[in-house]
Amino acid sequence: MCNTEPFYITKSKRLCRESNMDPDKIARPKKFMTNQELSIKRKSYGEILSVVSYFSNKLLDSLKGTPILVVISDSDGYLLDMVGDETIKSTIEKFGIEMGSLFTQEDTGTNVISLSLEQRHPITLIGEDHYHKFLYGVACYGAAFHYTDEDNLLGSVCIMMPISFQNPLFLTMLSQAVDSIERELLLRKQNKKLNIMNQIMLSRTRNGIVITDEKGITTEFNDFAQQISNKSRSSVIGKLIYDSDLTGEYFKRVLEHEEKYENEELKFKNKNGDQVVCLFDAQPIYEDDRVVGAFGQFRDITDRYLIKEKYNYLAYHDDLTGLPNRRYIQKEIDSLIKSSQEGKTTKLAILFLDLDRFKIINDTFGHSNGDLLLVEATKRLLGCLGKNDKLARLGGDEFIFLLKDFEDEDYVIQFAERVLELFKDPFSVNVNQFHTTVSIGIAIYPNHTITLEEFMIYADNAMYKVKTHGKNGYAVYTSDMLNNSIEELKLETDLRKALDNNEFLLHYQPQICNKSGGIVGVEALIRWNHPKLGLIYPDKFINLAEETGLIIQIGEWVIRQACIQNKKWQNSGIKPFKIAVNLSTQQFFKLNLVEYVKKVLDQTGLAPEYLALEITESMAMDFNYSLKVLRQLKDIGVCISIDDFGTGYSSLSYLKNFPIDYLKIDRSFVSDIMVDDHDVNIVKAIITLAHNLGLKVIAEGVETKDQLHFLKKYKCDEIQGYLFSKPISAEQFEENYTN
C-alpha cells in the first residue's frame, strides 16, 4: 500500500512552514462576516443551502451513531452552515471556528475547506495530513460542488469526525452526496429557466393559449385567452376541455386521432353580446412519440374581420397603426391610374411623408417608444383626411396620403401645410415628450400616362429633396429631380470612400470679442475636396452622411482634426483660443461620445477648455439623457454651446439646468435685425436671457457694420461672420492672423 502524501497536502504544509506557522499553536480564522453579512449571504444562497442541507441530512441519517459534523462553505471559504454532532461543533467553536468565519490556508493552515475549493475534487485529511497538531485526532473529508453546466464553483461540503471513526467509505458517500447535490441544483436551474421562458411566452404573446393533458383536462389558460373568452382561469383549469361548445370537438379529435388544425375561424359572443372572431390552431403534444396533451391558440381578428370584405385585413393593413399598408394603397392608386387611362377623368395626387429624426428617437428610446410615437402620429394624420382622401403606412416611419377628386392643386398644397402644422406640438409618449417634424414629397398625376412605379418615384424624389434641404417642409415633384437623385446616388458612393481617401479638410471661421476686437475662438467647418467635383460644402453632403449613417465617423474625424490643429497652433506660439465643433444628433446620442472626446484630448494634449462642442436645441428632446451627457462633458472641462438658438424647441428648464457656456444666435435672426422688428426683439431677448443665466452670446452670420453696431449696443459678447472673415484654411488663418 502506498502512503505517499498527495502533492497538494505537501504544498500546503510547505506554505505553512514558509509562513512561520507554529504547528503546536491553534490556528484560528482571522476574518469573519458580520451578522448582517452572514444573513445576506445565507439568503442569497437560500436555494443552494436548502439542497445541500437536504442531502447532508440524508448523509447524517445514513451514518447515525457516528459522531460526524457536516460544514458547508461558499466558494470563497466562508462557513455558512454546520450540522451534526454537537460535541464536535462546540469543540471547534472554542477554536474560533463558527458560522461566518473564513477558511484560508494563510490563516488556518492546511484545512479541508480551502483544499476542497482549490483542488475541486474530493479530498481526505486524516491525522498528520494536517499541519497543526491539535487536528491530528481529526479525520476530514471534503468536496467542492458546482453548477455543472457552467463549471461555476459554488462552495464545499466537508465532514469531520474523531480519527478513530475514519473510513474511506465516507469519502465515497460524500462524493455521491455531492453528485446528487449538483444534479439537483442543475435540474432546479434548468426548471427555473424553463418556467421563466414559459411564463414569458404565455404572458407576452398576443395569442390566447390553451393546453391540456392527454385526458383533455385543461392545464394552462393564459391571460389573453381569458380576455378573448371572458372566462376566468380558475373556471377553466382542471376542467375537461371536451365540455367546451366552442373547441371541445377540436381538442377531442386532436387527442384521440392526432389531427391538426390551422387558422380555423371561430365565432362566438362575449358576455356583452358582441361578436368575437378568432383564428384557432390546435395540435398534439408529443413525448417519445406518445401524445401527452394538446396545444391550442386563439388569435383575435374581430377588428380585422369587420373591415370591408373585399380587402383581407391581414394582407392589406398595418398591424401597428391599423392603417392600410403599402399593398393596399398601391392597389388603390393603380386602380385609379387604370381608370384614368380608360378615359375617366379624376384628379389624383400622392404625398409621401417621412418623420424627421425618427431613427434617432427609435434607437435612443427603444422600439416600443418608437412604435407608440408612430401610433400617436397616425392619430394626428387621420385628422387631416377629407372625404376623398386616404392615409396608409408604407413601413417604418413612412406614410402616404392619397388625394383624389379635388377641385384644384391648391387643395394639395394647403393639405401639405396642414400636415406640417400638426407636428409643431410635441408628442407625449409614456413619460417622454418627443419633437419630430415631417418631410413631405408631393406628386400630382400629370396629363400624360405614367405607371404606378413612376408616380411613386416622383413623390419619393420630392420628399428626398426636402430631406436634403433641412427637412420640415414639402416639395412638389419637378422633372429635374430624378436626374438630381441619380447624381446623389453617385455622390453617396464617393462619400463612403472619402474618409479612407483623406478627402475631407477643415476651414476655420474666426470668432471675435466685441469688447477687445481680438480673436477668442474659431469654428471648425468641414469641406469635402472631391477628386472630380472639387470643393464641396457641407450643405451638399451632411444630410447624405446622416441618411447613410456615415455622419458619426465623419463627426469623430472633425473632433480629432480640430484638436490636432488647435494644439499645433498653440505649439507654434499662437495665443490659445477655443475651437468650436458642431455635433450631429446621431453623434450626440452615441453612447461612447464622452469617452471619445476624452481620448482625443488625451492623445492630442489639447487642454479641454480650448474645445467647444456645439449642440442644437433638438438634441435636448431627452432631458435626462442630455443632462447626463453634458454634465460628463463639463466634468472633462470642455465648453458647451447651443447652436442656432431660437430655431428649435426652446425650453427655459434646459437652459437653467444644462451646464451651458454659450448661446449662439442663428444667422436667420441676425440677417434681418436692421429691417425686421420681430428679429430685433428676438435677438435682444436672447442676449438678455443668456446674460441673466450667466451665459455668453455669440452671433453668427454678421455681414454688415450696422449689424455689428446693433449687437455691440446690446452687449452681444462675440461675433462671427463674413464682416470679419469667411471660413478659411489653416494656412490662410496662420498667414492672416499670426503676422
Side-chain angles (χ1 to χ4, degrees):
M1 179 176 178
C2 179
N3 292 319
T4 303
E5 188 176 67
F7 77 92
Y8 52 86
I9 295 179
T10 303
K11 178 182 175 183
S12 177
K13 288 181 177 180
R14 185 174 68 251
L15 289 175
C16 292
R17 289 192 295 273
E18 291 172 354
S19 300
N20 296 318
M21 283 189 180
D22 188 343
D24 294 318
K25 290 184 179 180
I26 295 173
R28 301 172 182 270
K30 292 184 174 59
K31 188 171 182 181
F32 300 86
M33 288 182 173
T34 65
N35 289 336
Q36 183 179 10
E37 289 171 338
L38 179 59
S39 176
I40 292 172
K41 173 63 80 169
R42 283 179 58 84
K43 186 175 182 180
S44 68
Y45 261 59
E47 183 176 44
I48 295 171
L49 284 175
S50 70
V51 172
V52 177
S53 296
Y54 172 78
F55 287 103
S56 297
N57 288 327
K58 288 191 71 172
L59 181 63
L60 288 171
D61 287 343
S62 65
L63 297 173
K64 223 173 243 183
T66 304
I68 290 178
L69 183 69
V70 180
V71 295
I72 303 166
S73 81
D74 69 1
S75 57
D76 295 320
Y78 280 102
L79 188 56
L80 300 183
D81 203 3
M82 291 190 294
V83 292
D85 190 86
E86 290 296 328
T87 302
I88 302 176
K89 184 176 180 182
S90 62
T91 300
I92 66 171
E93 286 177 347
K94 293 177 183 178
F95 300 153
I97 300 172
E98 59 186 45
M99 299 272 282
S101 55
L102 175 64
F103 278 79
T104 64
Q105 294 188 66
E106 293 79 5
D107 293 341
T108 54
T110 305
N111 67 86
V112 69
I113 293 176
S114 298
L115 289 177
S116 296
L117 294 172
E118 176 189 275
Q119 297 302 313
R120 298 199 179 194
H121 61 71
I123 68 165
T124 301
L125 284 179
I126 299 176
E128 295 183 9
D129 288 342
H130 296 93
Y131 178 75
H132 289 92
K133 293 180 180 179
F134 75 95
L135 293 173
Y136 282 3
V138 177
C140 298
Y141 304 91
F145 60 93
H146 319 68
Y147 275 133
T148 54
D149 60 332
E150 301 173 350
D151 194 27
N152 184 13
L153 182 63
L154 295 173
S156 70
V157 182
C158 303
I159 59 177
M160 57 191 304
M161 65 201 70
I163 195 168
S164 58
F165 289 93
Q166 65 167 306
N167 190 323
L169 180 62
F170 292 157
L171 187 63
T172 302
M173 295 175 69
L174 179 61
S175 299
Q176 291 173 346
V178 167
D179 286 343
S180 299
I181 288 168
E182 290 180 336
R183 284 197 300 272
E184 178 64 20
L185 287 174
L186 180 61
L187 181 61
R188 290 193 181 195
K189 184 178 180 182
Q190 291 172 338
N191 285 343
K192 190 180 294 183
K193 285 183 179 179
L194 184 61
N195 185 43
I196 290 171
M197 291 303 297
N198 285 339
Q199 288 182 48
I200 291 172
M201 291 175 63
L202 290 172
S203 63
R204 293 302 296 266
T205 181
R206 295 186 177 184
N207 297 340
I209 303 295
V210 182
I211 301 175
T212 76
D213 64 13
E214 70 274 15
K215 296 179 181 178
I217 302 300
T218 307
T219 59
E220 186 53 66
F221 195 72
N222 75 342
D223 290 343
F224 207 72
Q226 294 181 77
Q227 295 174 27
I228 295 174
S229 66
N230 288 312
K231 292 183 178 180
S232 67
R233 191 172 187 274
S234 60
S235 69
V236 175
I237 296 294
K239 302 295 192 308
L240 187 65
I241 196 70
Y242 299 162
D243 294 338
S244 169
D245 295 334
L246 188 64
T247 61
E249 191 59 33
Y250 288 104
F251 276 102
K252 188 172 184 179
R253 291 199 291 269
V254 167
L255 290 168
E256 294 181 358
H257 304 291
E258 300 185 30
E259 294 185 15
K260 295 181 181 180
Y261 297 94
E262 186 173 349
N263 293 332
E264 291 289 320
E265 191 175 282
L266 302 181
K267 300 178 184 178
F268 57 93
K269 300 285 186 181
N270 63 20
K271 65 180 180 180
N272 298 322
D274 300 322
Q275 186 180 60
V276 178
V277 183
C278 289
L279 293 180
F280 174 68
D281 304 333
Q283 64 185 54
I285 301 173
Y286 294 97
E287 185 178 286
D288 297 330
D289 297 326
R290 182 175 65 87
V291 176
V292 294
F295 171 86
Q297 68 173 345
F298 300 87
R299 298 191 301 282
D300 188 350
I301 60 165
T302 305
D303 292 339
R304 303 172 185 178
Y305 190 81
L306 298 176
I307 299 295
K308 292 180 180 179
E309 290 185 358
K310 69 176 181 177
Y311 296 116
N312 184 321
Y313 191 90
L314 291 173
Y316 291 99
H317 287 78
D318 172 50
D319 282 339
L320 176 65
T321 62
L323 293 175
N325 61 12
R326 180 187 292 270
R327 183 184 299 172
Y328 175 102
I329 204 69
Q330 286 184 337
K331 184 176 181 180
E332 185 79 358
I333 296 170
D334 196 41
S335 175
L336 292 169
I337 289 175
K338 288 178 180 177
S339 295
S340 176
Q341 292 170 350
E342 292 169 0
K344 298 178 181 178
T345 58
T346 182
K347 290 186 178 293
L348 184 62
I350 53 176
L351 285 74
F352 265 25
L353 273 71
D354 184 275
L355 301 189
D356 301 327
R357 299 191 303 276
F358 177 77
K359 184 179 185 302
I360 296 170
I361 295 172
N362 213 27
D363 292 346
T364 305
F365 301 101
H367 292 280
S368 59
N369 280 318
D371 286 349
L372 291 173
L373 177 58
L374 290 173
V375 172
E376 293 302 314
T378 299
K379 292 176 183 177
R380 291 193 190 180
L381 293 172
L382 286 170
C384 282
L385 294 177
K387 65 178 182 178
N388 296 325
D389 308 327
K390 288 184 179 178
L391 171 66
R393 182 187 176 205
L394 296 179
D397 60 334
E398 294 183 336
F399 297 83
I400 183 173
F401 280 106
L402 169 61
L403 313 183
K404 64 176 183 177
D405 296 331
F406 45 85
E407 291 186 6
D408 53 48
E409 294 181 4
D410 287 344
Y411 175 81
V412 180
I413 303 303
Q414 291 167 6
F415 190 96
E417 290 172 345
R418 288 203 307 274
V419 172
L420 293 175
E421 284 291 321
L422 291 175
F423 288 82
K424 286 192 172 180
D425 294 327
F427 290 88
S428 295
V429 176
N430 290 327
V431 296
N432 300 304
Q433 279 202 332
F434 299 119
H435 292 280
T436 185
T437 53
V438 287
S439 298
I440 306 173
I442 302 172
I444 299 173
Y445 196 80
N447 294 327
H448 60 278
T449 299
I450 58 173
T451 64
L452 166 66
E453 183 177 7
E454 289 172 323
F455 196 26
M456 301 282 278
I457 288 173
Y458 289 174
D460 190 51
N461 276 291
M463 183 186 70
Y464 189 72
K465 180 180 179 181
V466 179
K467 287 283 190 185
T468 57
H469 288 78
K471 309 181 174 98
N472 191 24
Y474 67 85
V476 181
Y477 172 79
T478 56
S479 58
D480 62 336
M481 287 184 181
L482 189 58
N483 293 330
N484 292 340
S485 295
I486 295 171
E487 291 301 318
E488 284 168 350
L489 285 173
K490 294 178 182 177
L491 199 63
E492 178 184 335
T493 302
D494 293 342
L495 185 62
R496 294 185 181 276
K497 304 174 185 176
L499 267 178
D500 292 336
N501 294 341
N502 199 27
E503 294 172 6
F504 291 116
L505 55 92
L506 293 183
H507 281 183
Y508 305 90
Q509 187 170 39
Q511 296 170 334
I512 309 299
C513 175
N514 250 340
K515 288 184 179 179
S516 68
I519 293 178
V520 290
V522 295
E523 181 177 1
L525 299 163
I526 192 170
R527 304 289 186 260
W528 179 9
N529 189 17
H530 193 282
K532 293 181 180 178
L533 303 177
L535 200 64
I536 302 177
Y537 287 84
D539 61 316
K540 300 296 184 184
F541 67 86
I542 287 297
N543 285 331
L544 186 59
E546 290 176 341
E547 294 287 337
T548 57
L550 295 170
I551 191 65
I552 292 177
Q553 294 172 266
I554 294 172
E556 290 180 345
W557 178 89
V558 172
I559 292 175
R560 179 174 292 278
Q561 288 302 117
C563 290
I564 291 172
Q565 182 61 64
N566 202 7
K567 184 62 177 176
K568 181 180 176 183
W569 281 331
Q570 291 180 11
N571 291 341
S572 69
I574 297 177
K575 182 180 178 181
F577 50 72
K578 68 181 184 300
I579 190 164
V581 175
N582 290 284
L583 292 179
S584 71
T585 305
Q586 292 182 40
Q587 197 176 3
F588 182 71
F589 283 102
K590 190 177 182 186
L591 296 180
N592 74 338
L593 171 65
V594 178
E595 289 77 8
Y596 181 78
V597 171
K598 188 176 185 306
K599 177 182 174 183
V600 169
L601 291 171
D602 289 342
Q603 291 177 347
T604 60
L606 181 68
E609 61 265 29
Y610 298 121
L611 174 64
L613 297 177
E614 297 188 355
I615 68 168
T616 61
E617 293 172 89
S618 61
M619 294 181 194
M621 59 188 174
D622 178 9
F623 179 87
N624 292 329
Y625 176 84
S626 301
L627 179 61
K628 174 186 172 184
V629 172
L630 293 178
R631 282 179 174 171
Q632 289 175 342
L633 290 170
K634 203 64 189 162
D635 288 342
I636 295 174
V638 301
C639 299
I640 306 295
S641 174
I642 301 293
D643 194 18
D644 301 336
F645 185 77
T647 62
Y649 301 98
S650 305
S651 167
L652 292 178
S653 64
Y654 84 70
L655 287 180
K656 180 180 71 173
N657 290 287
F658 284 0
I660 302 167
D661 299 288
Y662 294 88
L663 292 185
K664 199 167 189 182
I665 304 174
D666 186 66
R667 66 181 65 247
S668 63
F669 299 126
V670 174
S671 63
D672 291 331
I673 54 176
M674 307 312 300
V675 294
D676 190 322
D677 289 340
H678 292 296
D679 285 347
V680 168
N681 292 330
I682 290 172
V683 171
K684 286 163 60 177
I686 292 173
I687 295 172
T688 302
L689 173 63
H691 287 167
N692 286 340
L693 292 171
L695 309 177
K696 288 187 176 182
V697 184
I698 303 175
E700 62 178 350
V702 179
E703 298 182 354
T704 69
K705 290 183 178 180
D706 288 340
Q707 292 171 346
L708 175 62
H709 292 152
F710 174 89
L711 293 165
K712 282 187 174 182
K713 178 181 177 181
Y714 290 102
K715 297 182 173 53
C716 179
D717 300 288
E718 298 174 16
I719 301 297
Q720 178 181 341
Y722 275 35
L723 179 62
F724 296 98
S725 173
K726 66 179 183 179
I728 54 179
S729 67
E731 294 75 18
Q732 288 175 300
F733 180 86
E734 293 164 9
E735 182 179 339
N736 293 348
Y737 294 100
T738 60
N739 293 330

